[in-house]
Amino acid sequence: MYLEHFGLQRLPFTIAPDPDLLYLSRGHQEALAHLHYALTGHGGLVCLTGEVGTGKTTLCRAFLHQLPAHVRSAYLFNPQLSATELLHSLCDELGIVVAEQASPRELFNRLNHELLQGYAAGQRFICIIDEAQSMPVPLLEQVRLLTNLETDKEKLLTVILVGQPELRQQLARYDLRQLSQRITARYHLQHLGFRETRAYLQHRCRLAGAQQPLFSAAAQWQLWRASGGIPRLLNSLADRALLGAYANGKTLVTPQWVRGAQREILPARAYFSPHGKSGWLLSPGSLVLLLLILLPALWWWLPSLPRTLEAVVLSSGSSGQHLAATDHAAGPALNPVHLLGRELGLPAAQDCSALPAQGWRCLWLEWPLEYLQRLAVPVAVPQAGTSGTVWQLAQHLAAGARLSGRSLVLWQPPASFDRKLIRPGNQHDTVRWVRYRLGVAAPSGWQVIGPQGQSSQPDDAFYDPLLAQAVLEFQQQHGLKADRILGPQTLFMLWLQEG
């Protein structure tokens, strides 16, 4: 396919759980350490959870490949078994010969006898049960009984439950408290941050034989935003982006190829947050229905709630001030720009004037900290220090922290954006970019009548009423001032959406 074009020896991004390509982020290192805890013999039950695609199965395969010779292991990936079938499968995986028609009691006794003999010979036994969130309660009770196999000093069998976040909810059930209390090590695998995503991409490309960078810094950032730091999605998007660049004769993947991969791979209305959550943007009809359902409960609450985030009173105490955003720097910006540039992998990011050459710009915001912390981009916020203003990332601050001025984000506005406000009826190249982001086609068969009575045929750069209505709905959904005006605030929030 594209191997020779990029100078690769193997495909760097496959969704198969290949331990040879495993990238050990800090979270994956800790998860692997929890798995290795099973080798100590002190824990009878270990639990590893994580969102779909975060690399749990790959970690388990890597762990199994690293086991010393004296450890006998079983890997079960079909949780929809009866208690008898579970015992049969466990015996088969451990190489224990049992009669096909053996009863659960005979299976349990045979397993206990084999484990005792192996323990006396210096062996250890580990059983990994993948997709454990799908296990019914009776089967989980059988797992608890397996942890009763022990000597006076150590457990004979260590069971590792691996599953999605629902497994944690399952284990929190009251009727499973006996099983939950026996878990001696728990770990929840988080999504990759941007730095880890960048290192992940470089790691995989290097192992595949790449001799030069395959993804631009902006493409890496786009991949992180699109995937939410989920390795499986990263693999799918990166592979398709490489294919797109190859088909167009390019040797470096840029954001346009990543966006093309998004359109082909991700659901049209889905978005993924780098902070580990996912969801769907409500359509206007669904939003109206939801409001009608919740209106009685909201009636008493709404008077105390600002109409939109635009009307939130800032922490400085100014009353009635809207959320504001400007596209120019105010005051010394060296420290915040350097801080954000380091997060985004922009080596020459020392001040705002150096950013446009790299396709980025500064955007200064007067938004509440609680809102800034929910953005899927790093935000530099000012904190009052003993020797002046100290810049920190909003995502690292605890709730309730106070800001001492405007905050800064780096963004990639459309190349045509010239800082002018675009109102309905205007003609501007940026309108094309907005259409693409909102999925609103240009009107056909329309005529625009000018002040002198002249008529003209509008093109896709004309800001027509239908697009203005879509912009209004977008502004309302995201707590922006619902004025239909395309300014830095609205364009920034559109940029954050997966296009």
Side-chain angles (χ1 to χ4, degrees), residues 200-498:
Y200 177 90
L201 295 170
Q202 295 170 353
H203 172 81
R204 287 225 166 197
C205 290
R206 184 175 64 254
L207 291 182
Q211 300 298 317
Q212 59 187 8
L214 302 185
F215 299 90
S216 69
Q220 294 177 46
W221 171 256
Q222 186 76 12
L223 282 168
W224 176 64
R225 288 177 53 224
S227 67
I230 299 176
R232 185 180 298 162
L233 282 177
L234 265 175
N235 290 346
S236 297
L237 290 168
D239 178 72
R240 186 60 188 83
L242 284 170
L243 184 60
Y246 161 71
N248 287 271
K250 306 297 183 181
T251 57
L252 183 68
V253 175
T254 55
Q256 62 176 320
W257 312 123
V258 179
R259 287 192 289 269
Q262 289 176 242
R263 290 191 293 271
E264 295 186 16
I265 294 174
L266 298 181
R269 299 291 287 174
Y271 67 90
F272 299 89
S273 165
H275 304 294
K277 297 180 180 179
S278 61
W280 287 265
L281 298 174
L282 289 176
S283 64
S286 300
L287 185 61
V288 170
L289 179 60
L290 180 62
L291 287 176
L292 288 176
I293 295 174
L294 297 179
L295 188 59
L298 293 174
W299 180 258
W300 299 102
W301 182 48
L302 283 175
S304 63
L305 183 70
R307 291 287 179 186
T308 67
L309 284 170
E310 301 260 356
V312 173
V313 177
L314 301 181
S315 59
S316 60
S318 56
S319 176
Q321 189 172 357
H322 293 314
L323 288 177
T326 59
D327 201 38
H328 58 83
L334 176 61
N335 288 340
V337 175
H338 180 71
L339 173 65
L340 295 177
R342 184 180 60 189
E343 288 293 311
L344 299 177
L346 304 176
Q350 297 297 332
D351 55 54
C352 291
S353 62
L355 291 175
Q358 303 181 63
W360 296 80
R361 289 189 191 179
C362 288
L363 187 67
W364 294 87
L365 307 170
E366 293 182 0
W367 291 359
L369 177 62
E370 294 77 10
Y371 188 61
L372 295 172
Q373 290 177 322
R374 292 198 296 268
L375 296 179
V377 292
V379 184
V381 296
Q383 296 280 282
T386 55
S387 58
T389 300
V390 177
W391 293 91
Q392 300 183 38
L393 292 177
Q395 289 81 359
H396 292 173
L397 295 180
R402 297 180 62 85
L403 306 181
S404 61
R406 292 190 296 173
S407 303
L408 178 68
V409 295
L410 304 187
W411 69 312
Q412 296 173 302
S416 57
F417 180 58
D418 52 9
R419 305 180 184 177
K420 295 180 180 178
L421 299 180
I422 305 171
R423 292 178 169 84
N426 290 163
Q427 187 89 6
H428 201 288
D429 287 340
T430 299
V431 173
R432 296 189 176 95
W433 182 86
V434 175
R435 289 190 186 282
Y436 169 75
R437 289 284 171 168
L438 291 178
V440 178
S444 59
W446 286 34
Q447 281 192 332
V448 178
I449 308 300
Q452 307 301 325
Q454 72 276 18
S455 64
S456 61
Q457 186 75 27
D459 59 16
D460 56 358
F462 175 68
Y463 192 4
D464 64 87
L466 293 180
L467 179 60
Q469 180 62 29
V471 170
L472 176 68
E473 294 171 355
F474 178 85
Q475 291 171 330
Q476 292 171 336
Q477 289 174 358
H478 293 82
L480 298 168
K481 186 177 182 180
D483 55 8
R484 298 180 174 86
I485 296 176
L486 296 174
Q489 306 173 72
T490 300
L491 294 177
F492 171 67
M493 293 304 295
L494 279 169
W495 174 72
L496 287 181
Q497 306 309 304
E498 309 304 340

